[in-house]
Amino acid sequence: MRKHIVAGNWKMHKNNQETIALLEEIIEKKEANTTEIVVAPTFVNLLTAVENTKGKGITVAAQNMHQAEGGAFTGEISASMLTSIDVKTVILGHSERRAYFHETDALLANKVDTALKHNMRVIFCFGEELKDRQIDNHFKVIEYQLRDALFHLEKSDWSNIVLAYEPVWAIGTGETASPAQAQEMHKFIRTLIDKVYGHEVADNVSILYGGSVKPDNAKEIFSNPDVDGGLIGGAALKAEDFLAIVNAF
Ligand code: PEP
């Protein structure tokens, strides 16, 4: 059975003290729930987050990592650095990494391989730009992104892959894909995975939606049969909003 997951991508927000305060509030206010809660603070606060969430039912994830095992890559972080502090989930392929740091699907394929080699779970982000949707090219774009970054994987690798469909035009814009648009794309993705890897992989992979999910639209988006959770940006920075989204299932 696939899991419901709500992941908060904190991006370059929250210093060390603010990280502790936000986590304390999430821990204090969260209700018993079968939905997995993931938080992704910036690298420098990961260890603090791990220490402050121990035994509290919260998964700490990194927002990125380098594909190499180690070496002369100033400013970068490796998979083994993450796992050594108990961070075993990593977000890869976020549209901001693609747009501002020129990450391509070929590079992301390498990053995914490195993460899986270290037994990490990958939350893999992908999504079309507005111009693709305007010319009705969005299904093709999604198919190529998945093919180029993930379809070299073995069937068994998929137990460590979570997909996050994030239409770029809906990220941080207040513009959300309608529940029908989200379901249409999530169904397309699951059908594609089914064609390439078969029913078992397709049924078991969690597909999250990301793009301006807020407390007031989460329920409608999550009520779709192929939407298994959300990757949340802005609304993950306030405990109440984030938890309202978690509770929307
Ligand atoms: C994101 O950055 O992954 C995201 C979904 O952001 P927001 O929720 O702010 O649109």
Side-chain angles (χ1 to χ4, degrees), residues 89-241:
T89 299
V90 60
I91 297 171
L92 293 177
H94 191 278
S95 64
E96 287 150 19
R97 300 287 326 163
R98 293 173 186 260
Y100 307 140
F101 303 97
H102 314 294
E103 296 198 0
T104 61
D105 287 312
L107 171 76
L108 291 166
N110 283 335
K111 290 194 176 198
V112 169
D113 287 345
T114 303
L116 294 179
K117 192 172 151 204
H118 286 262
N119 248 322
M120 297 181 77
R121 180 176 53 161
V122 174
I123 300 178
F124 183 78
C125 306
F126 56 100
E128 83 281 2
E129 292 180 32
L130 186 58
K131 64 178 172 22
D132 303 312
R133 194 164 268 267
Q134 281 168 337
I135 57 166
D136 225 16
N137 202 33
H138 44 300
F139 294 113
K140 273 251 148 9
V141 169
I142 296 306
E143 182 170 348
Y144 292 163
Q145 286 178 339
L146 291 174
R147 179 196 67 189
D148 294 348
L150 298 182
F151 285 176
H152 64 288
L153 297 178
E154 300 292 332
K155 220 172 173 172
S156 58
D157 292 328
W158 280 79
S159 55
N160 273 327
I161 300 288
V162 172
L163 299 176
Y165 167 60
E166 298 206 300
V168 178
W169 48 272
I171 296 178
T173 59
E175 184 91 29
T176 323
S178 69
Q181 284 174 320
Q183 169 58 21
E184 183 188 36
M185 183 56 88
H186 281 227
K187 189 168 173 47
F188 171 79
I189 294 162
R190 205 177 299 283
T191 305
L192 182 62
I193 308 275
D194 193 336
K195 272 190 213 150
V196 180
Y197 288 99
H199 292 331
E200 205 187 329
V201 172
D203 283 349
N204 284 315
V205 67
S206 295
I207 309 177
L208 316 186
Y209 171 80
S212 298
V213 178
K214 309 280 179 225
D216 59 358
N217 61 18
K219 210 175 192 113
E220 226 190 328
I221 293 169
F222 293 168
S223 65
N224 288 295
D226 288 297
V227 178
D228 306 308
L231 182 55
I232 319 299
L237 300 174
K238 275 180 72 183
E240 251 169 56
D241 289 352

Side-chain angles (χ1 to χ4, degrees), residues 14-26:
K14 305 291 176 192
N15 64 25
N16 196 262
Q17 291 74 25
E18 291 163 346
T19 295
I20 294 170
L22 179 54
L23 288 172
E24 263 174 15
E25 205 181 336
I26 291 173

Side-chain angles (χ1 to χ4, degrees), residues 22-34:
L22 179 54
L23 288 172
E24 263 174 15
E25 205 181 336
I26 291 173
I27 290 164
E28 184 194 315
K29 295 186 176 158
K30 89 180 174 70
E31 297 165 20
N33 203 316
T34 53

